[in-house]
Amino acid sequence: MMGNTTIIFLVHVDQRLQTPMYFFISSLAFLEIWFTSSTTITLLAILSSGRRTISLSSCFAQSYFYVALGFTEFALLVVMSFDRYVAICQPLHYAAIMKQQLCTHLVVAAWVVGFTLASYHLVLLSQLTFCSPNKIHHFFCDNSPLFKLSCSDTSLLWKADSILISFVVLGSLCLITVSYMCIFRCILHMPAVSGRKKAFATCSSHLTSLAIVYGSCIVLYARPSEDVSLETNRVVALLNTVLYPFLNPFIYSLRNKAVKLALKEVLGRAKVRLFPQLWCFSGQQF
């Protein structure tokens, strides 16, 4: 939460970071905050209170927002790959194409697409009926434990849910793959070695993030969920909901020189405001 909030704050206050690339990174950081909160806040409340219960409506809402925010993230990753394509393959037209209005529309479209596609998941959940004991063997209301817990016939629901998630995961992966095939072709045709290295460095963070999120989701969701054990489901879900959002600020921004410089300047200004007498004593002028 702190890492993603820091990214959003730095992009907002530092003029040098107000570019399309960092706008999309801050949008992803904002999304990660909500994605993590959709599961961990309820989990922390349960752990702190000791009441290991959740209402059926709250359970369905948690499952819906988890899927909707996940679909939104896949759409946003496609948008970010398109941004990298324009930046590397159309550098002279980048500023003219990736205007602020277009960037905003692309982010809004990613959210609309994610939540619209996830509405079908909510329809599937409404078809479930439950019989006691209603004990979820998971740390949040994921689709696999809910389907296995239901006492109704879920064979068709398994298939429909698997097709929906596979369509989103594999469809977005195909679009990203096409973008990066074009990007790599442009990089290989660059005459300068330094330009190729800079272009590969720009794409490396995005590719690292893609490998983590798509690798885990393909293992868990892009095959029939009935074949995945709940233990595997819990481990991979933990990777998606905690580890991946935790690593994203470091993968995308906190190891970047421009972000490090912006963070250093912000911390420096904060020290001056909090401890002005120390700076006056040392003879520094601002």
Side-chain angles (χ1 to χ4, degrees):
M1 295 286 283
M2 290 180 61
N4 286 300
T5 304
T6 300
I7 297 302
I8 297 172
F9 174 74
L10 290 177
V11 172
H12 179 72
V13 301
D14 196 287
Q15 189 71 26
R16 293 164 299 184
L17 300 181
Q18 294 178 6
T19 62
M21 182 181 74
Y22 286 106
F23 173 74
F24 292 130
I25 290 176
S26 64
S27 300
L28 181 64
F30 177 76
L31 174 64
E32 294 290 8
I33 291 174
W34 286 101
F35 184 68
T36 305
S37 301
S38 66
T39 58
T40 54
I41 289 180
T42 303
L43 175 62
L44 292 174
I46 289 174
L47 293 176
S48 61
S49 64
R51 295 183 58 187
R52 298 175 177 268
T53 58
I54 184 171
S55 66
L56 185 61
S57 58
S58 298
C59 190
F60 282 1
Q62 187 185 60
S63 180
Y64 169 73
F65 281 109
Y66 174 77
V67 173
L69 292 168
F71 285 177
T72 303
E73 182 161 349
F74 289 128
L76 190 56
L77 290 174
V78 173
V79 171
M80 294 175 71
S81 68
F82 171 73
D83 172 70
R84 291 300 84 209
Y85 164 77
V86 178
I88 294 173
C89 299
Q90 303 288 335
L92 299 180
H93 300 91
Y94 182 69
I97 295 174
M98 301 305 294
K99 294 181 179 180
Q100 182 61 44
Q101 185 178 16
L102 176 62
C103 295
T104 303
H105 288 168
L106 289 173
V107 171
V108 172
W111 281 82
V112 172
V113 168
F115 276 78
T116 302
L117 290 175
S119 60
Y120 185 69
H121 177 76
L122 192 60
V123 173
L124 296 179
L125 292 180
S126 65
Q127 306 299 315
L128 299 176
T129 55
F130 297 93
C131 310
S132 59
N134 293 329
K135 184 177 181 181
I136 303 175
H137 297 280
H138 211 295
F139 63 90
F140 76 100
C141 295
D142 199 5
N143 56 350
S144 293
L146 284 177
F147 283 3
K148 291 183 178 181
L149 189 65
S150 175
C151 56
S152 57
D153 184 10
T154 59
S155 56
L156 291 177
L157 298 181
W158 279 111
K159 293 178 181 178
D161 189 67
S162 180
I163 291 172
L164 172 65
I165 296 177
S166 299
F167 169 76
V168 174
V169 174
L170 300 180
S172 61
L173 181 59
C174 288
L175 293 175
I176 292 172
T177 301
V178 171
S179 296
Y180 271 95
M181 287 176 63
C182 297
I183 289 172
F184 289 147
R185 185 179 63 181
C186 293
I187 292 175
L188 294 176
H189 284 83
M190 288 181 177
V193 177
S194 59
R196 290 198 294 268
K197 289 183 178 179
K198 184 178 180 181
F200 275 119
T202 303
C203 297
S204 62
S205 58
H206 195 201
L207 290 173
T208 303
S209 177
L210 291 174
I212 296 174
V213 66
Y214 277 98
S216 59
C217 287
I218 288 174
V219 168
L220 187 58
Y221 296 115
R223 57 175 176 161
S225 300
E226 293 172 294
D227 300 335
V228 180
S229 67
L230 288 180
E231 185 63 31
T232 302
N233 187 290
R234 284 195 298 267
V235 173
V236 178
L238 190 66
L239 177 68
N240 284 338
T241 57
V242 179
L243 183 61
Y244 172 67
F246 170 75
L247 292 177
N248 256 349
F250 299 97
I251 293 174
Y252 278 108
S253 302
L254 294 180
R255 64 186 182 91
N256 184 286
K257 290 183 180 179
V259 176
K260 287 181 180 178
L261 180 60
L263 182 60
K264 185 177 180 180
E265 291 180 356
V266 168
L267 293 177
R269 290 196 296 266
K271 287 181 181 179
V272 172
R273 293 176 181 176
L274 292 174
F275 307 104
Q277 67 278 10
L278 295 179
W279 293 94
C280 293
F281 180 76
S282 62
Q284 298 288 339
Q285 295 181 356
F286 298 91

